[in-house]
Amino acid sequence: MESENDIKTTPRGFHCVLCNVNLPNQPSVDQHVKGRKHQTLSNVRTTRKTQEEHSVFVSGIKPDTSQTDLAEYFQQFGPVSDVIMDKDKGVFAIVQFSETESIQAALSCVGHQMKGLSLRVKPREKKDFKYIPKKKNDLENLQQLLDCLKPKLCQLPTVNAQMQFVVERFQLGENEKKSRGLLVLLLQEVFVEFFPDSQILPFGSSVNTFGIHSCDLDLFLDLENTKVFQARAKCPSEQATEAMSDDSRSEDSILSDIDLSTASPAKVLDLVAAILRRCVPSVHKVHVVSSARLPVVKFHHRELNLQGDITINNRLAVKNTRFLQLCSGTEDRLRPLVYTIRYWAKQKQLAGNPNGPGPLLNNYALTLLVIFFLQNCEPPVLPTVDQLKDLACEEEECVIEGWNCTFPSQSIAVPRSGNTQDLCSLLAAFFSFYAKFDFASSVISLREGRALPITDLLCHNGKIEEATDDQKPSKPNQSGPKLGPLNVLDPFELSHNVAGNLNERSQRCFQKECQEAEKYCRSLQYLRKSTKGKSWGLVRLFTPHGVTQTKPEELTISIPFKSDVLPEALRSQLRMAGDGFRLLWFEKVCTSVERVFQNILRCHLASSMDFALAEVSAADLSAEMETSTTSLNTSANDSLESVEFTENAAATGIKRRLSSGSDASVSPQGKKPRISKRGKCEPPHWLWVQKHLVWAGRRKVRRELIKETDSRPEGSCMEIESQVTAHIIQKEPELKNPLEFKVQPQLVGGTESTKVVLRLEPCCDKAGVFQDFFHFLDAFLPKMVETLLEKEVGLA
Ligand code: ATP
Ligand code: MG
């Protein structure tokens, strides 16, 4: 009901006032209202409203007034569920009751006197809940930070030196480490008072050697020994038990309230949160997030300006932190690589999830990607986790929750690598490794140091095939990892995909950025210091994209000429064509592209009406309808060697049927290039119409359709892909406003680097879906065309 009030009609569609987003049509409204953002904000609003309805505003307190004093005083009006102090000046507080009736009781009492203070109690002000988005992706900040680094980076003599500088600039300083250490000690002292024999252990970037100035402080509260203590204390004499319950503030009272061996993590964390709020100075903004994969208490330390996270049941994270420490201790090149790649990923908005949970890589997953790459260098820079296990001694054997976590505790036990590549070339090799990596059909295993076929990870009877005997979980019903577009198995918890949060788009962006970076790393600008003070080396690599949406001029997809994937018959045809091989190949590619759009993705060729929509002039249109076949010719004037189309191009003797292989009912015979007034033809183009979101959720549909019987990756089988499209079309509703777009192929490059560049352009995109479609095509189309060319399907 409330959601309905959130949606307002606007001249251009709808607007959700809660989330402050515009929505083009009713299906998108329906989808939005069910979506995570709207649901979360709606829940927050409900919680705030309930809090408002249950609380009063209290002023007249002093900075030294405690939450406990207030809670005790207001108990007389009804049970108090929370007291929120004004932490800045300490002059007011919000007292929250469990029952609304208590508010009236508190308000109607005149002359509140508490410990010599006259308190004023007022009703809470009712404020409209307003969502204030955090500054989006902070492009300006990214650019500003880079602007500060730039002069220093440009001055340095080599990329190696630049990478070392990145470490120095970002790493945690000694004082920062010390103050974090002191806070850990303080927390240890406080927690041990309430949870005897407990231990608080830091993990994550504060201690894994990859921390940066602003990184959070991840802490694990180990209550195993407290559980033992509690079990022992359970069977004392009755007198002792009574003594415990008498003193509600004694350290034991907490343990008498809760049975640690059976309490849910959320319940334990509620207690942890209460202790933090009441007993740790400078700590504020304490809250429990029980919906996370591992429930956590979050807090902020004001003086240190530090975000902290406390988890329980997280022994594996402490262990994987030790593993990262071991890797850095073993290999000096790891830290500069990780710092550089983390910074690159942040600048390109590939990692970090600035607003909490999100679809980007987290720093842990990114670090594992770097280690996996180093395991796969020739010769390897780092050993596999299995090899490390074999290097450990008996005392180092360790199994946590059934997972084998054995590795040497000291880096001295690990032999040095024979690989001598410098940082500059390793960084370039990292990009090149992931630029080509087949993410769709592989699962990254640091345990084995190789990519496992995705089919190996499909579960049978709840057991994981990949785990060898000593790595199998002890838990009998352990399920397999959540597979997604990018799969990185945790090195120890083999049923966990640490990149399981990524969506297809973030995976594609990661790979695309690796491809861009790979290209750049081959240029002289990467390798050689500019003598004119221009940006070079890492600076260009770190430059954030200026716009969040792809610029129109960047909407191109390249299909490179690869003779090795072509069938022998086609290769011999190309050989016979001599210098004309490029045009012949271009023709084949164009036919394949058309088949992908028409037969596999079920796009419809636009009618002449649609041409008018695309603002084709009447003269152009009639010219278009006159000519029935078109020939191609290369222009001698064109330095880029792009192909131009001229009226008397018959010289090459290569005829191009733009609609060859098309269904005549939807593809009028003889659709061909437009002739411009100068008497020259524009390159051929298609105008397509797509009525369904055939790109959304393909991976899932494919997996359902092929089950475990087929391990072929996306785009490698025409029949499967056609079925996937048919399935989506059948199951999903039609777009109210179909997407219309233009595709224009162009042959570029010399004999050495021939490729077809397809320029895409939306003509009508009222549903705002073109960007998504383009990102999908970017990976799908080249792969699919390659498959069709390989088989020479319908290319004759
Ligand atoms: P930073 O805080 O700088 O982003 P980090 O390594 O501390 O880097 P966090 O997201 O804070 O990253 O995670 C803390 C630790 O928790 C990691 O170092 C790792 O040990 C563990 N961890 C984080 N994410 C995962 C995950 N997806 N799977 C398993 N363990 C994880
Ligand atoms: Mg962290």
Side-chain angles (χ1 to χ4, degrees), residues 180 203-206 208 215-218 307 309 342 363:
R180 282 166 190 249
F203 66 97
S205 54
S206 296
N208 68 11
C215 73
D216 59 1
L217 175 64
D218 300 293
Q307 175 63 43
D309 282 3
R342 279 191 179 192
N363 280 327

Side-chain angles (χ1 to χ4, degrees), residues 203-206 208 210-212 215-216 218 293 309 314 317-318 320-321 324 342 362-364 490 493 496-499:
F203 66 97
S205 54
S206 296
N208 68 11
F210 303 112
I212 60 168
C215 73
D216 59 1
D218 300 293
R293 187 177 83 93
D309 282 3
N314 204 2
V318 176
N320 66 37
T321 298
L324 297 186
R342 279 191 179 192
N362 68 30
N363 280 327
Y364 177 61
D490 187 88
E493 189 184 1
H496 174 50
N497 173 15
V498 303

Side-chain angles (χ1 to χ4, degrees), residues 246-315:
D246 273 356
D247 181 1
S248 61
R249 251 173 260 155
S250 85
E251 64 190 44
D252 301 326
S253 71
I254 276 197
L255 289 187
S256 64
D257 286 349
I258 190 166
D259 181 352
L260 289 176
S261 57
T262 54
S264 67
K267 190 121 204 276
V268 180
L269 289 177
D270 277 341
L271 272 180
V272 171
I275 296 170
L276 279 177
R277 279 193 198 107
R278 290 175 195 189
C279 307
V280 187
S282 263
V283 160
H284 68 148
K285 296 187 182 166
V286 180
H287 63 283
V288 179
V289 183
S290 35
S291 56
R293 187 177 83 93
L294 288 171
V296 60
V297 183
K298 294 193 163 284
F299 66 89
H300 186 258
H301 192 279
R302 201 181 283 122
E303 256 84 76
L304 299 179
N305 189 18
L306 186 62
Q307 175 63 43
D309 282 3
I310 301 183
T311 40
I312 50 174
N313 304 339
N314 204 2
R315 210 172 290 279

Side-chain angles (χ1 to χ4, degrees), residues 336-398:
L337 269 172
V338 169
Y339 274 89
T340 306
I341 290 165
R342 279 191 179 192
Y343 187 50
W344 162 80
K346 186 172 171 203
Q347 294 292 100
K348 301 291 179 188
Q349 294 166 19
L350 301 169
N353 295 313
N355 300 329
L360 305 184
L361 280 165
N362 68 30
N363 280 327
Y364 177 61
L366 193 56
T367 309
L368 294 186
L369 285 175
V370 179
I371 295 178
F372 180 72
F373 153 70
L374 293 174
Q375 291 174 334
N376 282 274
C377 287
E378 197 45 63
V381 179
L382 279 172
T384 69
V385 179
D386 270 342
Q387 287 164 345
L388 285 174
K389 185 185 76 181
D390 296 338
L391 293 168
C393 59
E394 221 173 286
E395 298 83 72
E396 287 159 342
E397 275 176 21
C398 170

